[in-house]
Structures are given as C-alpha cells and as structure tokens.
C-alpha cells in the first residue's frame, strides 16, 4: 500500500512523503486494514523497528484533523517521550480547519500538577507515571481525549511500572468510554488476551525491516537457528571478543549485552585493545573529538575518564551508573557509527533505539543485588536480539548467545532461540502498589464506595486475567489502614478522602511514606539540621532501594550515627535486638550521608571513591530526594510544622544543585552550577551585586568561564557589555578554538 492511497488528509501524506516514506511496511498495512484509521481499538504486536510509530502518527493526525479530537501518547520512559516528541514535531506545519497549526505538547516532570496548559495541545506525549499523576489531579482536558496510544504495552509485565500503565489505561477507559485505543507491543504470547481486555482487535506480525539470524557461538563456531554454521577467526582466547572484532572488521558494529555493570566495563576495556588496532586514521581523529566531548560534559570522574579512553579506541560501555549526559553522548556516537563496539547492561534493550549489525549476549543470566543470578526471560532475550540489524546499513542482523560448553549451547538453543516468549501477567496484586491506587481512586473522585473501588479494580488487566475477588481482602485491609491513618473518612456507605489523603495522593507518594513523615514531624529531634531531614526522607519507602554500606564503611558509619543521634527524627534500632532493622537503618544513614556530602560540594569523583556511588545512582537519589523533600514541605505546611518550612525549601535548592548554602544566590544564574559557582565565589563574587560590578575580563580570566558564558552572566545580572569589548573577546575565543582544533 502506498502512502498516497491512505484515507488521511493530503497535508499529512505530504509530510510523510517529505520524510522519505513512500510505501507502508507490511505491519502498517495490516494495522490499517484492521481498522486503525476507522476508529477501531487495536493492539499492534510486531518486532522492533517495524514502524509501529507511523501507525500511531497517522491515527493521531486523523483524530486531530478530521474529528477535532485529542491524542495522548503514553511511553514508559522520559527518554522515549522526548524521542516521540521529536518525531511528532514534523506535523506542526499542518493547519487545522480553524487555521491554527497542529500542536504537540510534552509533559514528563513535576508530579504535583495538573498542567492545565496542556489543554491547548492536540497531541500530548507523557510517561505512564506522569499520566497517572495527571489523573490524580483530575486534569480537565483528559476528559476530551479521543485517542490513546499506549507504546510498549508489553511493559504490563514489569513489576514496578506495569501496574501504573494498567491503572492509567483502566482509568482512561473509565472516563472516556468512546475513545479509541491503539496499543503497540513487542511480540508476546498472549496478545489476544491484552486485546480482549482493551476490547480491541489485534495484528500480530513477525516482519522486520532487516532479516534476523539468531545463533549460538561455542568457541570458534556459530550454530544458527536455521541449521547453518559459521567459523569466526580466533584472534584471542575469548570467543566473544573474536566475534565483536569479526563484526567490526567487516564494517559492522557490535552491541554486547553483559550481565552486570562491572562486566560491561571490563569487557569494553578488553575489546578496546583490539578494536583500536583496526581503526583508520580519520576514524581515530573523530573519536578523539568524541572522547573530548565526554570529558567536557558534566564533572570529570574516574568513570568518565575511563570511558573517554575507551572511546578513543572505538569502544564504549553503557549502564545506569553513568551520568545522563555521558549516556546520551555514548548513544549518539554509536548511532552515528563512530564507536564500533558498545557493551551494555540489559536495561538498554528496551527503550532507546540503538541497532547494531551484531548483537552479542554474553550471559543468559542476570544479576540482582540481594537475590543473585537468575535466567532472563525469553521476552527479554527477544528484545535484546531484536536490536540486531540497522535499517539502511545492514542486509541481515545477527543475534548471538555465547555458550561455554556444548550442553549449554543446546540449552540456549532450546530455551531461548527456539522458544516462544512468555505470556504477559499483571503485576498489580502487590499491597504496596494497590495501596497507592486505592487512595487515588477515592481522592480523585473516581469512586466513593467500597463497591465503586472494586468496580474500578474490576476494569484492570489483573481482573481480566484473574478475578477481582482475589484482591478484595487486600483492598479491604488497605481501606482500614487508610482510615486508621486519617486519610479517609467514612460516613455510612460513602468514603471520602480527608485533606491529608487528598494531598498524599496528589503528591504521588506512598501513604506509608506520608505517615512516616507526618509522625516524625510531630516529634522533633533535639537539634534540627540538614541531616535530620535528609535522613527522614531516606527513611521513607519511596526513597527506593537502600544503599548498602561496604564493610570498610561500617566503623565510620557507627561513629557517625553516634555523633548525630540527637539530630535524627527516628531512633536508631538496637543492633543486637533487631538486626534486619539495624541493617536497613544503616542503608538509610548511608543515603543521608551521600546526600549530605553532595550538598557539602563533595566532587562526584570523591563520591565514587568514598561511598562507591556512581553518578547515575547519585542523580537518581537526588531526583528522589527533591521530590520527597517537597512532599515533606507540603505535609509540614498542612500539619503546621512551620519551623521546618524554610529548611526544606533551602534543602530542595541545595540538593538540586549540590551546593553549600553560601552559593545559593549565584547559582540562580543560568550557566552557573556547583563547579563554576564555587569558582566565582572563591574569586570574591559572592552575590549578584558583586557580579554586576565585575569587569568582563575578570570573569573570563577565571577557569571554566569563557567569554560567551561571561556575557550571558553579565546580561542576566543586568550588566552592560560594550560592543567593542565583546568583539575583541569573540576574536580571541575564535583563535583559541582554532588552536585547539588544529592541535
Ligand atoms: N513505511 C516505512 N518505510 C520506510 N521507513 C519506515 C517506514 N515506517 C517506519 N519507518 C522507519 O522505521 C524506523 C523504526 O520505526 P519505529 O520507531 O516506528 O519502530 P517500532 O516498531 O516502534 O519499534 P520499537 O519496538 O523498537 O519501538 C523509523 O526510523 C521510521 O522512520
Ligand atoms: Mg516503538
């Protein structure tokens, strides 16, 4: 089927054609034939890169242009939401009947807002979590949604994020019974079941734009699924490295999935020695530049230095311990085919689009701290394997598992390559998860009776697969808990949220966290310090997985706890009485120490050294801390604990920036973070007023402050930069840049 034949407005076809798409891919054609453009609900299950997004784009524009409708596009990750936003932007040149242009909005942050400004957009892209929080705020525009696109719907199977998606879909179906649903999925075993739940038809295809060959590498030989075999030249004693080199030598790129962060870094290092040898001179020059970009982005740490060394040799690693800026650079340089081999932990397998000619899976087991090794699911394997083959560059992609013995090779062939992916199961039936949604159901006025709550849960995928009766007793227990903790009020049959309950639901925190915060605020420590609040938030279940102290930290931590005992809101458990509680407490204290070190301006590198906390984890902790400090602030305001209010506000700022109090005034300037802020401060520029009076030259003479930034700073403080002065500085900068590039 040709784009020109589609039943969509000409203006849409023009845009699609302009972007080089002329014919539909087979899965797209099937989806159209199944009624996607006629308003039918549909689950489209087809492999990676088979063009599912275009179907969603066509549907969305049809709604906007022909039905005066509104689309919400749900993605599981912020990074994906950004990617989709960029893809949809191309349609903003189209005008609607009223003469206005098609508008695309995105909202992924700030969980305590109904974002009323989103109302003016035709197509709104959000994460599942943001959509959940918008529903809790009863954002009005959500009643006008006529099309919902649920991307990566197989995620229903994920323990943490699956239930959110399930609840969001159930609620949107509840408030907009007439809207169209388009769910996009990887190929899974029970597409029919998901379709049944969504009252949708389905299309299942195995079509891929690039053919995929799956196989097992044992020593020097690959055995393929279809019976073929291929020898790999033995350059080293490590067959995985030989395979990666083989790919690079034939002009391809290899993506290697390792089971742990440590393995991914170690493998990259080993591989880089050999990849470095086969790079051309111009390729090497390009890589030098990429390596510099890594060092220039964010703070310099032993990790970023190691990474930049690897990049020079055409190799890199990618895992959740890397700072976001570094992850992005690594993804870009692999996508632009500058780096040749990328080792990654399996988190990369879904989400960002990073194809490679060869995908290598080092280990079919995965490691989870506190749990040990377990074999990955077939679904996970298929998602990793699906990354093989770059459209436009490769004729075939290869996905290869590594076996150490012949027995293991047989096992891998049977259990992964030839196996069908598992069924997807609802993960909703967990008390902690249901608790949040029971409160939200009442607080956001979706139901006001016990029966109403059961009815709502009766619409979930869980109930479709099991039976809502199975969670009735959990719901009843939760209702009692919420009532006892004064988040709910009951009169006769009717249940309402109290002010407290409503606020907790809007703040998007676990009711248990709210109880911890409320109770603690009621009995203040002897001394209220930064640490008091940092520990309090670390003590809530919403802080996430605890930081495990290392053996060599334990003594120092025990002393630290003794020294600060009187500042803590919570009593230290007895080490010998309740050992588990004590261990947990140590983890909380460590989290608080890490945050405390961060706002004392400890460098990221020292954090790695002292606490073994990698930047990626540090930033996730910071994000959580900001959110929980804000929740603490809001609850303190609600309960009248006025004396903590200024401190929580100050801490939110300091934790966001990682600074001591004295830097607060100057980091408000754009382009000035913790590092440059400290440089300015130490040079005597302690306030906006000081900077206003500073000569431009004096600013540019400081380390890490170039003329462009100096001017930006001056402009922000209302300072005046003379034209001649600026031109002179620009010239100097140009020369400097030139000198650097030539060198
Ligand atoms: N009909 C087409 N002809 C040529 N290219 C296409 C066509 N449809 C989509 N593409 C391109 O294919 C690429 C992959 O499409 P898309 O991102 O929609 O994949 P997907 O099915 O959503 O995969 P994933 O499961 O990885 O999310 C995009 O770069 C897109 O522009
Ligand atoms: Mg997709």
């Amino acid at each position: 089927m040709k784009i020109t034949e589609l039943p969509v407005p000409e203006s849409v076809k023009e845009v699609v054609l302009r972007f080089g798409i002329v014919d539909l891919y087979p899965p797209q054609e099937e989806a159209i034939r199944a009624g996607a453009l006629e308003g039918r609900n549909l689950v489209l299950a087809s492999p990676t890169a088979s063009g599912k997004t275009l179907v969603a784009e066509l549907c969305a524009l049809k709604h906007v242009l022909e039905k005066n409708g509104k689309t919400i596009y749900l993605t599981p990750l912020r990074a994906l939401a950004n990617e989709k936003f960029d893809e949809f932007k191309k349609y903003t040149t189209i005008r609607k009947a009223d003469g206005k242009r098609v508008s695309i909005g995105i909202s992924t942050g700030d969980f305590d807002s109904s974002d009323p400004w989103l109302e003016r957009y035709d197509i709104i892209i959000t994460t599942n979590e943001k959509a959940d929080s918008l529903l809790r705020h009863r954002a009005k525009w959500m009643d006008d949604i006529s099309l919902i696109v649920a991307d990566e719907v197989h995620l229903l199977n994920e323990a943490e994020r699956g239930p959110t998606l399930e609840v969001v879909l159930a609620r949107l179906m509840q408030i907009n019974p007439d809207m169209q649903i388009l769910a996009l999925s990887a190929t899974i075993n029970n597409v029919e079941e998901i379709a049944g739940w969504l009252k949708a038809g389905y299309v299942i295809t195995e079509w891929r734009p690039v053919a995929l060959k799956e196989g097992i590498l044992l020593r020097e030989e690959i055995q393929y699924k279809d019976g073929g075999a291929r020898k790999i030249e033995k350059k080293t004693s490590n067959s995985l490295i030989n395979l990666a080199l083989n790919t690079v030598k034939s002009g391809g790129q290899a993506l290697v999935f390792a089971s742990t962060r440590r393995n991914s870094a170690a493998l990259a290092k080993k591989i880089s020695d050999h990849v470095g040898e086969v790079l051309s001179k111009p390729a090497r020059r390009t890589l030098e530049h990429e390596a510099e970009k890594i060092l220039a982005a964010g703070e310099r740490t032993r990790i970023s230095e190691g990474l930049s060394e690897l990049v020079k040799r055409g190799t890199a690693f990618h895992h959740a311990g890397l700072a976001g800026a570094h992850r992005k650079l690594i993804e870009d340089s692999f996508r632009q085919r500058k780096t040749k081999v990328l080792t990654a932990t399996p988190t990369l397998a879904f989400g960002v689009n990073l194809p490679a000619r060869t995908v290598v899976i080092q280990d079919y087991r995965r490691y989870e701290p506190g749990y040990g090794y377990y074999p990955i699911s077939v679904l996970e394997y298929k998602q990793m394997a699906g990354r093989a083959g770059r459209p436009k560059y490769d004729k075939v992609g290869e996905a290869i598992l590594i076996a150490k013995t012949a027995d293991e090779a047989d096992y891998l062939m049977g259990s992964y390559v030839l196996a069908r992916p598992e069924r997807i199961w609802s993960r909703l039936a967990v008390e902690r998860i249901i608790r949040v949604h029971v409160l939200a159901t009442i607080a956001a006025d979706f139901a006001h009776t016990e029966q109403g709550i059961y009815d709502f849960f009766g619409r979930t995928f869980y109930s479709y697969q099991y039976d809502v009766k199975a969670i009735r007793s959990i719901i009843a227990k939760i209702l009692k808990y919420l009532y006892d903790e004064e988040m709910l009020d009951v009169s006769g049959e009717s249940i309402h949220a109290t002010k407290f309950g409503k606020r907790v639901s809007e703040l998007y925190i676990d009711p248990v966290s709210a109880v911890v915060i409320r109770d603690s605020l009621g009995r203040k420590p002897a001394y209220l310090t930064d640490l008091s609040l940092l520990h309090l938030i670390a003590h809530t279940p919403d802080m996430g997985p605890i930081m495990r102290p290392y053996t060599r930290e334990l003594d120092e931590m025990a002393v630290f706890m003794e020294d600060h005992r009187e500042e803590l809101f919570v009593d230290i458990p007895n080490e010998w009485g309740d050992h588990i509680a004590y261990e947990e407490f140590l983890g909380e204290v460590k989290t608080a120490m890490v945050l405390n070190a961060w706002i004392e301006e400890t460098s990221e590198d020292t954090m790695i050294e002292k606490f073994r906390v990698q930047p990626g984890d540090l930033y996730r902790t910071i994000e959580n801390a900001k959110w929980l400090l804000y929740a603490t602030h809001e609850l303190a305001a609600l309960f009248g604990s006025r004396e903590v209010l200024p401190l929580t506000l100050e801490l939110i700022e300091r934790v966001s920036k990682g600074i001591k109090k004295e830097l607060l005034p100057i980091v408000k300037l754009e382009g000035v973070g913790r590092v440059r802020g400290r440089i300015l401060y130490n040079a005597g520029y302690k306030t906006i007023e000081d900077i206003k009076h500073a000569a431009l030259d004096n600013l540019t003479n400081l380390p890490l402050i170039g003329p462009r930034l100096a001017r930006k700073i001056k402009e922000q403080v209302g300072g005046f930069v003379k034209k001649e002065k600026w031109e002179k500085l620009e010239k100097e900068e140009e020369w400097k840049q030139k000198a650097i590039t030539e060198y």
Side-chain angles (χ1 to χ4, degrees), residues 423-656:
R423 287 179 68 180
I424 295 284
W425 293 99
S426 166
R427 302 301 190 97
L428 187 63
V430 175
E431 187 174 334
R432 176 174 56 83
I433 288 169
I434 298 181
R435 185 162 57 221
V436 172
H437 294 300
V438 168
L439 178 60
T441 303
I442 303 164
D445 299 322
F446 290 108
H448 288 294
T449 59
E450 199 163 340
Q451 189 54 45
I453 296 165
Y454 295 138
D455 288 348
F456 170 70
F457 280 91
R459 296 166 177 270
T460 58
F461 186 47
Y462 176 87
S463 293
Y464 192 79
Q465 284 195 310
Y466 304 89
D467 182 348
V468 70
K469 285 198 199 88
I471 49 172
R472 265 185 181 237
S473 63
I474 306 183
I475 294 176
K477 187 175 159 203
I478 291 167
L479 283 171
K480 180 168 183 328
Y481 172 81
L482 296 175
Y483 175 76
D484 288 345
E485 295 297 349
E486 298 177 342
M487 285 183 231
L488 296 181
D489 244 349
V490 180
S491 69
E493 290 276 281
S494 122
I495 311 174
H496 277 86
T498 60
K499 228 172 164 185
F500 178 38
K502 213 171 169 59
R503 203 63 196 111
V504 171
S505 177
E506 289 171 345
L507 287 168
Y508 211 68
I509 56 175
D510 184 338
V512 172
S513 295
V515 168
V516 166
I517 293 169
R518 178 198 62 192
D519 292 351
S520 302
L521 291 175
R523 48 171 153 62
K524 273 146 221 108
Y527 305 98
L528 182 69
T529 63
D530 300 343
L531 192 75
S532 316
L533 285 159
L534 295 177
H535 176 261
L536 171 60
I537 57 167
H539 187 61
T540 66
D542 275 314
M543 196 56 164
I546 59 164
M547 292 193 175
R548 273 165 214 287
Y550 296 91
T551 317
R552 65 180 162 82
E553 285 177 299
L554 286 176
D555 289 341
E556 196 192 326
M557 285 192 54
V559 175
F560 183 88
M561 283 195 313
E562 255 341 292
D563 286 351
H564 296 276
R565 183 186 278 275
E566 307 222 298
E567 294 167 46
L568 303 184
F569 278 104
V570 190
D571 292 334
I572 304 173
N574 184 327
E575 185 178 356
W576 312 112
D578 187 345
H579 198 69
I580 294 179
Y582 183 76
E583 292 246 302
E584 194 128 313
F585 199 84
L586 282 175
E588 296 162 10
V589 172
K590 172 156 179 178
T591 305
M593 283 169 81
V594 165
L595 286 167
N596 201 49
W598 170 246
I599 60 173
E600 287 301 316
E601 295 179 30
T602 308
S603 74
E604 287 181 23
D605 195 53
T606 310
M607 302 287 250
I608 299 172
E609 157 112 52
K610 191 162 178 314
F611 301 108
R612 291 203 219 168
V613 171
Q614 300 182 346
D617 303 305
L618 175 64
Y619 281 98
R620 263 184 302 283
T621 306
I622 291 166
E623 280 307 308
N624 272 348
K626 272 159 53 180
W627 163 53
L628 288 166
L629 283 167
Y630 172 73
T632 304
H633 180 269
E634 294 300 290
L635 293 179
L638 184 70
F639 290 109
S641 304
R642 302 188 52 174
E643 58 299 343
V644 302
L645 295 179
L647 189 56
T648 44
L649 282 185
E650 182 187 298
L651 275 175
I652 292 172
E653 287 296 303
R654 289 183 58 199
V655 168
S656 319

Side-chain angles (χ1 to χ4, degrees), residues 1 3 16 19-26 28 44 46-55 57 73 80 83-84 87 90 151-152 154 184-186 207 209 349-354 383 386-387 391-392:
M1 198 189 268
I3 295 294
V16 177
F19 276 77
I21 296 181
V22 181
D23 296 292
L24 287 183
Y25 282 162
Q28 296 167 339
L44 171 55
S46 95
T48 291
S50 61
K52 297 187 283 290
T53 317
L54 182 64
V55 179
E57 290 171 19
Y73 192 115
L80 269 179
E83 228 174 66
K84 295 299 151 197
E87 286 170 50
K90 59 176 175 279
D151 204 354
E152 317 264 348
H154 50 271
L184 311 176
S185 168
W207 186 87
F350 94 99
V352 271
N353 194 13
L354 275 188
Q383 291 212 281
R387 293 280 156 220
K392 293 190 208 113

Side-chain angles (χ1 to χ4, degrees), residues 41 46 119-120 207 237 265 270 296 336 348 356 359 364 389 409 415 480 484 494 535 578 711:
N41 289 352
S46 95
E119 187 181 350
R120 41 174 211 272
W207 186 87
S237 61
K270 272 195 219 155
Q336 295 156 5
L348 186 66
V359 163
Y364 64 96
S415 308
K480 180 168 183 328
D484 288 345
S494 122
H535 176 261
D578 187 345
R711 176 156 120 163

Side-chain angles (χ1 to χ4, degrees), residues 304-343:
S304 70
E305 280 168 3
L307 194 57
S308 101
E309 281 307 307
L310 292 176
V311 166
K312 285 184 196 162
R313 285 172 282 159
T315 312
F317 60 85
H318 185 292
H319 59 59
L322 291 181
H326 294 142
R327 275 209 302 269
K328 175 98 183 29
L329 284 170
I330 293 299
E331 288 163 16
D332 289 346
S333 65
F334 191 73
R335 214 175 273 129
Q336 295 156 5
R337 303 191 303 145
K338 292 172 184 164
T339 45
K340 307 297 176 194
V341 180
L342 180 62
T343 65

